[in-house]
Amino acid sequence: MARLLEHQGKTLLAAAGLAVPAGQVVKTAAAAAEVARQLARPVVVKAQAQTTGRASQGLIRFADTPQAAEAAAAAILGLDVGKFPVTEVLVEERLAVAGEHYAGIILDDRRRCPLLLVSSRGGTGIEEIARSEPQAVAELPLDPVEGLAEHQARELWRRVGVHGHEQRLLAEAVVRLWRVARQVEARAAEVNPLVLTADSRVVALDCRITVDDAAVFRHPELGIEVARELGHPPTPLERIAWEVERDDFRGTFYFLQMREGFQRGEGVVAFHGAGGGGSMMAMDALQRQGFAVANFCDTSGNPPASKVYRAARILLSQPGVDAYFGSGSGVASQEQFHSARGLVKAFLEEPLAVPCVVRLGGNGEEKAIEILTSFTRTLGVPVECYGKDTPVERCAQRLRELLTAFQPPPPRPPVRQRRPAARPYTFTTLTGEVTYDHEICARCESKVCVRACVPQILSLDPSGVPVLAITREEAARGRCSECLACEVDCAALGAGGGYVALPIPGLDAYRRGRGME
Amino acid sequence: MAIMVDQSTRVLVQGITGREGRARARLMREYGTNVVAGCTPGRGGEVVDGTPVYDTVAEAVEAHGPFDASVIYVPAPLVKDAALESIAAGVGLTVLVGDRVPVWDVMEIARAAQRRGVQFLGPNTLGVLSVGRGVLGMIGGRAASAREWFRPGPVGVVSRSGGMTASTGYYLCRAGIGLTTLVHVGGDSIVGMPLPEVVQRFQEDPETSLIAMFGEIGGSQEERVADMLASGQVTKPVVAYIGGRAATSGVRFSHAGAIVEGGRGTHEGKVAALRRAGATVVDTFDELPAAVGAVLGGVHG
Ligand code: SF4
Ligand code: SF4
C-alpha cells in the first residue's frame, strides 16, 4: 500500500529531525499497557488504519493509567475499519498543546510542481479551514529540484500571522517535512496538527504520507508490500494479484476488490477491464444495467496472454459472482487475440460456470472473437464476444439478458490437473513452463502450434513433433512471449498435446480456504 | 494544418533498438511520419530498418539538424534521463510513451521543459495522430488500421484515456464525421500537455471546427477547459463525455490517475462546470457521435 500508516510516517519524520510524541506501536492490549507504564504519564491510543476522522469513529482514545490504556487498546483492537479489523495501535504520550497548525506538501497537477501548504489553524481538515478562514492558509509552489529554503518557509508562516520564535520553529519543521516528502517521493505528506507544545516545542501529532506507486521500486526501505493505493489494507487476493504484477513489466495488471461476502443471485459481476477510461465507462454501463461489480481489474498496456490468464483466474476466485464481464476501450491499438487466449485458458480450467460477455474491440478483433467463442463451446455456459462495432452499453444489456435466461449447468470439476506427459518435451518461459507430450504430438495431424505461435519460435523436428527453433535460454529470457497459442489453439484444433503451466503463488490455498476447488 | 504533427515534422525515436521502439518506429514510418533518426546509448552506428542510430541526441542533431519531435520508448526508470536529454537538445515536442514513470521524475522533466521553452506529451500516452499526415507514438497500432479507422475532417479529438482516444476517433468516423488530430494527453495526474493546452491548440488550428473531449474523474483539467470556454478564450464548440460516474470516492482507478477526494474532481462537478460554460456533455459515450454531428450541423448551417 502506498499510503503509509501514521506510525510509519512518524518514524520518517523523527529520522529527519521533526519531533513526534514518544510512543510505540503494539498489537495487543497488554503491550499497550506496558508502553503506558514505561511512558509513566497520560497517553493517547490510536488505531493504525487507513481512514479519516478516526476520533469520531472511536479509533482514538485517551487514557490516564496503564489500566485505562489497556482497556482503550482492547476496545480499538476489536473494531473494524471498512471491513478490515484494526490490528495495531500506536500508544503515545499526551502533550500539553499551546497551538495547533497544519503543514503539507502536496502535488499541484496544474503547476506541475510540489506545493507547500501551511495554516495557522490545525486539527480539522485543511479544505474546511481554507473555506472558512482563507486568510489562515498560505501556499507556495516549490521547485522540485531546488526544494524549500528556510527563509521561504518563514515568510510563508508570517503570511498566516505566525511570528517570533514560533515562526522559526515552524519554518524548521516544514523544511524537514519537505526533506521527507522528497526523499520518499511522496504524492502527499501532511502533518495535521503540527502543534506548539506548552513547553515551546514543535511536534507532529499526526501525519499522512502517500508514496507515489510508480516510485515504490526505488524505496525498498519503506517495506511497502503492495504498491497500490487501495484505500484499505490489501486483501489476501489483492496480495496474490500484486505478486503476479510485481516483477512482470509486460503491460499492467491492476486488481482491487470492491465487495466481499456476497452470494450467488445478488447480481455481482466479476469485472475485467482494459485501460482506465474504457474500464470506467464499462463499469458505468454495468451500473446502468443494475449490476454491482465485485472488483476493479485492468489488464492493459499490451500485456501477454499469460498475464490476462492469471488475472482471469484471480477474478474467478471470488466466490459468489453471477457473471463475468470484460471490456476495454472498444478500439484498442493492441492485438486483441492475446487477451482472448488468456481468457480461454482460464475459462476452460475453471471451468467457467456463469454467463460471460467480453468486448475485445480493436486490432485483431475478428481472430479474438473467433478464438473466444469457438474454443469455449464445450463449457455449456454462454460466452459471447463482441468487437468495436458493438457499444459497451449493448454488451452490458446482453449480459443482463443472458443472466435472466440462465440455467446453471451441472457442476464440473476443474481441469487443472493434467495427466503426466508420456514423452514430455519441456522448456521454461519468463514466468512458467511449456510442455509438449511428444507421444500425443506424434499422432497430431494439425500441428497448429507451429503455425499459431505468435513469435514463430517453434518448428517440427525430423520426426514431425514440435520443438524450439531457438535456444532454451532465448525462450526463457522472453522470446517465448507466453502467447498461449500452443495450448489454447492446440486444445481446440490439435490433439491436445501442448500445455503451458503458469503458477499463481498462493491462489490454490486461497481458494481452498473459501470452499472452492 | 492539424496540430502537433504532420508530414513535415522531423522525428527522432529514442530507444529505437528495443522491441517496442522498433515496432512503433515502423508504424510511424508506414503512416507517413518523417522518422529521421534513432537514439540508443551505446548502440550508435547501428541501423534499424533503414534508420541510423546515434549514441546521444546531440550527436543525432549534429548529423541531421534539429528535430521537431522525439518519441521515447525506454523503460519507466530510464524515462527521466532520456527526456532531459531530448529537452536539453531543444527538441520542440518530446513524447513520453512509458507507463509507471515516477511523478517526481515528471516534475523534473516539466521544470526542464519550461526553462527550455519546449513541450512534452505524456507520460503514459499513446501519442498523437494527425489524420493522413503523421503519428507520434502508437495510436492505431498498425498503419493499416490507423488509415482504416480515422478519416480526415473538422473534429479535433483529445482524451485522458489512451484506448478511448482511438475509440472516440473511430466512432466519429464511422458516423461520417472526420478528424484533424487525435491527442492522448496521458493517463497520469501530472502530464506535460493537459486537456486545456491541447484544446487551446485546437482553438488556434484553422482546420479544426469542433473539439471532442473524453474526460475522466479526478484532477482539474476538465474544469480548466470549462473556464476557458466561459471566459471566451475558447470559442469553438466542445462536446464531451466524462467517464467514472460509478467510481467510489477515495479510490484511485488504475493508472488513470482518477481520484475523487474532498469534492474536487467529481463526475458531477466536471459535468456541471462544462455545461454551465456552454459545452455539450453526453451521458453515455454512445451518444457522442450524434451529439457532435448535431453541433457540427449547427456550426456549418
Ligand atoms: S498442435 Fe498440440 S498436439 Fe499437435 S503437435 Fe502441436 S502441441 Fe502437439
Ligand atoms: S511457445 Fe510459442 S505458442 Fe507457445 S506460448 Fe511460447 S510463444 Fe506462445
Side-chain angles (χ1 to χ4, degrees):
Chain A
M1 168 101 39
R3 185 176 288 177
L4 302 182
L5 291 168
E6 177 190 4
H7 73 91
Q8 297 169 314
K10 281 181 166 170
T11 303
L12 294 168
L13 295 181
L18 208 173
V20 301
Q24 215 178 308
V25 63
V26 296
K27 291 183 191 303
T28 64
E34 182 50 34
V35 175
R37 206 166 292 127
Q38 280 167 15
L39 290 170
R41 67 191 86 169
V43 296
V44 52
V45 182
K46 306 170 84 176
Q48 298 300 288
Q50 315 279 359
T51 180
T52 49
R54 280 178 297 176
S56 62
Q57 299 178 61
L59 294 168
I60 296 180
R61 297 176 191 224
F62 299 96
D64 289 337
T65 64
Q67 293 73 20
E70 182 164 2
I76 293 173
L77 287 166
L79 293 172
D80 283 350
V81 171
K83 290 192 198 77
F84 300 88
V86 176
T87 58
E88 289 176 328
V89 292
L90 179 61
V91 184
E92 284 184 339
E93 63 173 331
R94 222 155 110 198
L95 296 169
V97 172
E100 294 195 324
H101 309 282
Y102 164 93
I105 309 279
I106 57 172
L107 304 187
D108 184 339
D109 69 323
R110 186 174 196 152
R111 282 176 282 204
R112 293 189 276 261
C113 68
L115 191 71
L116 171 62
L117 263 180
V118 302
S119 171
S120 53
R121 305 269 176 278
T124 42
I126 184 66
E127 274 150 27
E128 211 169 289
I129 298 168
R131 224 174 299 123
S132 58
E133 281 182 87
Q135 74 289 350
V137 179
E139 60 175 48
L140 178 71
L142 301 176
D143 184 306
V145 176
E146 281 161 26
L148 173 66
E150 201 163 310
H151 68 87
Q152 294 175 297
R154 278 191 281 113
E155 166 59 15
L156 204 61
W157 284 113
R158 183 195 68 82
R159 273 165 43 199
V160 294
V162 175
H163 302 287
H165 190 53
E166 188 179 357
Q167 183 190 86
R168 290 190 44 204
L169 290 176
L170 285 168
E172 252 172 48
V174 296
V175 169
R176 288 176 173 146
L177 177 62
W178 153 261
R179 284 192 200 127
V180 171
R182 178 72 195 90
Q183 173 210 329
V184 303
E185 303 188 57
R187 279 191 168 269
E190 296 179 278
V191 176
N192 191 17
L194 179 63
V195 302
L196 187 74
T197 60
D199 57 352
S200 289
R201 293 184 304 130
V202 166
V203 180
L205 277 204
D206 194 1
C207 93
R208 285 163 67 94
I209 296 178
T210 307
V211 176
D212 177 25
D213 287 347
V216 164
F217 76 95
R218 293 202 278 231
H219 298 285
E221 77 282 4
L222 296 176
I224 293 169
E225 272 182 289
V226 177
R228 292 285 192 232
E229 193 168 305
L230 301 165
H232 54 243
T235 64
L237 202 53
E238 285 165 352
R239 279 178 212 267
I240 291 167
W242 175 246
E243 286 304 310
V244 166
E245 171 68 355
R246 196 181 54 196
D247 298 321
D248 187 351
F249 285 90
R250 300 168 299 170
T252 303
F253 165 38
Y254 185 96
F255 174 75
L256 172 98
Q257 274 182 289
M258 299 173 74
R259 273 181 189 76
E260 280 192 274
F262 50 84
Q263 306 291 324
R264 283 294 280 271
E266 290 178 21
V268 180
V269 176
F271 173 69
H272 192 153
S279 298
M280 273 194 270
M281 209 173 71
M283 291 186 21
D284 291 351
L286 284 171
Q287 190 191 44
R288 263 188 287 274
Q289 288 298 324
F291 288 113
V293 294
N295 66 280
F296 177 76
C297 165
D298 177 4
T299 50
S300 58
N302 215 6
S306 55
K307 200 178 245 188
V308 176
Y309 158 79
R310 288 187 168 103
R313 286 286 321 279
I314 287 168
L315 295 198
L316 289 168
S317 300
Q318 303 177 102
V321 295
D322 281 325
Y324 194 100
F325 188 74
S327 177
S329 66
V331 190
S333 298
Q334 296 87 359
E335 303 292 345
Q336 294 295 292
F337 46 77
H338 295 297
S339 299
R341 288 202 177 100
L343 292 175
V344 168
K345 177 170 162 69
F347 290 176
L348 293 180
E349 286 181 6
E350 189 71 23
L352 182 74
V354 294
C356 165
V357 174
V358 180
R359 181 163 169 261
L360 286 173
N363 275 318
E365 68 175 35
E366 302 79 11
K367 189 165 157 190
I369 293 171
E370 166 68 19
I371 288 172
L372 190 58
T373 47
S374 72
F375 294 1
T376 53
R377 251 174 223 140
T378 52
L379 283 173
V381 295
V383 175
E384 295 191 356
C385 188
Y386 298 94
K388 59 183 178 302
D389 288 332
T390 307
V392 66
E393 301 287 337
R394 174 68 197 129
C395 293
Q397 200 186 353
R398 190 63 200 136
L399 189 68
R400 174 56 74 197
E401 291 162 11
L402 290 178
L403 187 58
T404 306
F406 183 59
Q407 298 291 337
R412 288 207 256 170
V415 278
R416 286 190 289 279
Q417 292 308 320
R418 296 249 158 181
R419 232 179 322 124
R423 197 146 62 85
Y425 172 86
T426 300
F427 58 92
T428 54
T429 67
L430 265 183
T431 68
E433 187 182 77
V434 175
T435 302
Y436 303 131
D437 186 344
H438 276 169
E439 186 142 314
I440 300 175
C441 295
R443 42 171 210 271
C444 166
E445 282 173 15
S446 102
K447 318 280 188 200
V448 64
C449 54
V450 178
R451 287 193 304 282
C453 172
V454 174
Q456 289 288 295
I457 57 167
L458 301 176
S459 64
L460 294 179
D461 80 353
S463 64
V465 293
V467 292
L468 279 174
I470 58 173
T471 65
R472 283 170 191 278
E473 291 68 39
E474 286 174 311
R477 271 202 316 259
R479 283 287 300 283
C480 164
S481 62
E482 301 180 337
C483 76
L484 304 184
C486 62
E487 172 180 328
V488 170
D489 296 42
C490 162
L493 308 168
Y499 176 64
V500 187
L502 297 170
I504 307 173
L507 190 65
D508 287 344
Y510 176 85
R511 290 171 65 104
R512 277 195 299 275
R514 275 152 189 81
M516 305 174 87
E517 278 181 88
Chain B
M1 273 287 289
I3 65 169
M4 295 164 71
V5 59
D6 63 19
Q7 308 89 317
S8 68
T9 308
R10 291 164 43 79
V11 179
L12 175 75
V13 177
Q14 289 173 262
I16 194 169
T17 52
R19 190 181 304 193
E20 276 282 297
R22 179 185 297 251
R24 301 311 173 189
R26 192 174 308 140
L27 155 75
M28 288 188 247
R29 247 190 329 264
E30 283 172 8
Y31 196 69
T33 317
N34 183 15
V35 177
V36 176
C39 173
T40 301
R43 304 285 291 270
E46 294 184 20
V47 175
V48 172
D49 297 332
T51 304
V53 181
Y54 298 88
D55 280 322
T56 68
V57 175
E59 189 187 6
V61 173
E62 270 171 32
H64 298 275
F67 293 92
D68 302 304
S70 176
V71 189
I72 296 182
Y73 287 101
V74 301
L78 308 179
V79 165
K80 181 175 98 176
D81 191 59
L84 293 179
E85 184 180 7
S86 165
I87 289 164
V91 176
L93 174 65
T94 302
V95 180
L96 314 181
V97 176
D99 187 1
R100 294 210 237 174
V101 180
V103 70
W104 284 77
D105 289 0
V106 179
M107 292 191 293
E108 244 183 87
I109 294 166
R111 171 185 189 265
Q114 193 177 6
R115 293 185 165 203
R116 196 69 170 75
V118 294
Q119 303 279 345
F120 69 101
L121 183 66
N124 190 7
T125 176
L126 284 193
V128 48
L129 180 145
S130 289
V131 178
R133 306 182 212 213
V135 56
L136 306 174
M138 59 171 291
I139 293 180
R142 307 177 192 162
S145 299
R147 267 191 287 274
E148 183 196 320
W149 294 348
F150 314 125
R151 302 286 158 82
V155 174
V157 173
V158 61
S159 165
R160 281 174 66 189
S161 154
M164 298 314 300
T165 314
S167 302
T168 305
Y170 172 77
Y171 293 121
L172 287 172
C173 291
R174 202 182 52 161
I177 301 164
L179 316 170
T180 49
T181 300
L182 300 91
V183 187
H184 175 215
V185 300
D188 292 1
S189 55
I190 296 190
V191 293
M193 295 184 70
L195 298 175
E197 291 232 23
V198 178
V199 167
Q200 183 62 40
R201 297 284 191 106
F202 280 132
Q203 169 70 21
E204 289 157 12
D205 173 36
E207 282 182 18
T208 300
S209 49
L210 181 148
I211 299 150
M213 180 170 94
F214 186 96
E216 280 175 8
I217 52 171
S220 62
Q221 297 185 38
E222 293 79 4
E223 286 87 343
R224 284 185 279 151
V225 171
D227 291 345
M228 292 163 76
L229 281 166
S231 70
Q233 189 182 343
V234 170
T235 54
K236 292 179 182 176
V238 172
V239 180
Y241 171 81
I242 309 295
R245 185 202 301 263
T248 49
S249 183
V251 175
R252 188 188 294 272
F253 281 98
S254 181
H255 46 280
I259 186 157
V260 188
E261 256 175 1
R264 285 170 300 136
T266 62
H267 187 267
E268 309 78 59
K270 285 175 190 291
V271 171
L274 284 164
R275 285 196 174 136
R276 256 199 318 275
T280 305
V281 184
V282 294
D283 288 323
T284 68
F285 182 70
D286 304 338
E287 298 164 42
L288 191 75
V292 169
V295 176
L296 265 185
V299 171
H300 291 306

